[in-house]
Every structure is written in C-alpha cells, then in structure tokens.
Amino acid sequence: MERVLEIAYSSGYWMMEMATDFPNTQFFGIDLESSAPDLVYPRNCFFGQGDYLKGLPYQDNFFDMVRLDMMHLRSLSTLDPILFLLSEVFRVTKKGGYIEFWDSDYNSSPLLERLTGIRVGNDHIEKLLTEQGFVNVTQKNVAIPLGKGSTVGEFTVDIIKSFIASIDAREDDLLYLIEECEKYDSRINVFSGFGQKL
C-alpha cells in the first residue's frame, strides 16, 4: 500500500503505530479539530484538519485504504451527511482499494439514554456501504454487557458513571445505573468490517 487515510483520527495513535510498522506507506489523517501530537511522530504521518462532512480534500482514486470511525457521526440527526461522506470515501479510494470501518450501537436503558444522550440502534453501515458502490462488505460484531458479571462491562459502567458525574448528575441516578443496566440487559455492540472498491 502506498497511501492510507484515517477519517476522524482523534489522538492519531493508530496512524502513528501503523506508520512505524509500515514505513514505506504514507498515512494521512483528517479530523474536525487539529489534534496532531505535539511530540515527534513518524515522517510518513500527515495530520490534517477539515470538515470531512463537507468533502475530502484529496484527489480521486488516491488512497489504497480508508479507515472510518463512524462513532463520530452518531450525533447527526439525518443520514444525508453520512451518505455524502461515504460517497467521498468511495471517490478517493483507488480501484481495488479498501474501506475499514468500525462503529457501535447500544442496547441501553432509559436512564442511560437520558443521562448520556446515547442514541440506540445502528445505522446499518454494511447496507450504506453497499449502496455507495463498495462490494465484498463484511462485518463482525462483539457485544459488551454493561454491569456485573463481566470485568469489561463493570469497567465500562465505571467509565460511564465518571462521565455522568462530570455532568452533575444526581447521586441517586448514579447508584441506580448498574441496577438498571442489568435489568435492561444493556450492552455496547461494537462492530467493524471491510469493503472494497472494484
């Protein structure tokens, strides 16, 4: 691979790790806010800033692979910007190139939804990619239960409780959270996959 794009690179950790492992590949990143590391990072990393929902500033058929974190799109009230972004991803991906995506949805509880604003239900990324022209789309899912009985689930609830405490939630809400997560069998469903442009 010559060039890889990560959309919504956040801390840039994935790009830097991959650039170190694959020094002959150029890794480009675009995010809404410039959060490129201030420290030294591999010379084959190029961190950029831009509103990727309004278009990608790259030429057609430029990238061998595009990596997309769909969770950053959860707050959108309509699919239109997502469909536009996916059409842009298709445009900048080379023929024979790949898209890698990951996302999550939630089987939540009323309290958790009210306190976090987390939207329930996934946007069926597999279907959306196919509609944009990608083929050989595959998706794998992993469910992480929230609450007692799972170390990961308990840890995740602790993180959610810390977040909720930071937004000044009522103390009785925090105490009831784990009980309600167990009552509603709350889970975070993480899914990832690939598609190809032919």
Side-chain angles (χ1 to χ4, degrees), residues 3 30 38 42 75 98 185 193 197-198:
R3 290 181 291 267
I30 187 168
D38 293 330
S75 61
Y98 292 88
D185 190 26
K197 176 179 175 178
L198 293 182

Side-chain angles (χ1 to χ4, degrees), residues 3-4 14-15 18-19 22 25-29 44-47:
R3 290 181 291 267
V4 173
W14 181 85
M15 283 177 57
M18 297 303 287
F22 300 96
T25 300
Q26 295 180 323
F27 290 86
F28 293 78
N44 55 332
C45 272
F46 305 96
F47 295 99

Side-chain angles (χ1 to χ4, degrees), residues 1-7 14 25-28 56 61-69 85-102 125 129 132-139 192-198:
M1 284 191 196
E2 294 179 58
R3 290 181 291 267
V4 173
L5 172 64
E6 182 175 27
I7 299 173
W14 181 85
T25 300
Q26 295 180 323
F27 290 86
F28 293 78
L56 295 173
N61 304 305
F62 191 66
F63 294 102
D64 299 286
M65 187 180 109
V66 177
R67 184 172 194 262
L68 178 60
D69 177 356
L85 175 59
L86 292 178
S87 72
E88 281 288 279
V89 168
F90 189 83
R91 178 184 65 77
V92 302
T93 303
K94 288 181 180 178
K95 290 184 180 178
Y98 292 88
I99 179 174
E100 176 190 16
F101 62 90
W102 70 290
I125 184 66
L129 287 175
Q132 292 303 314
F134 287 98
V135 297
N136 303 323
V137 179
T138 60
Q139 181 175 310
S192 62
F194 292 89
Q196 187 177 23
K197 176 179 175 178
L198 293 182

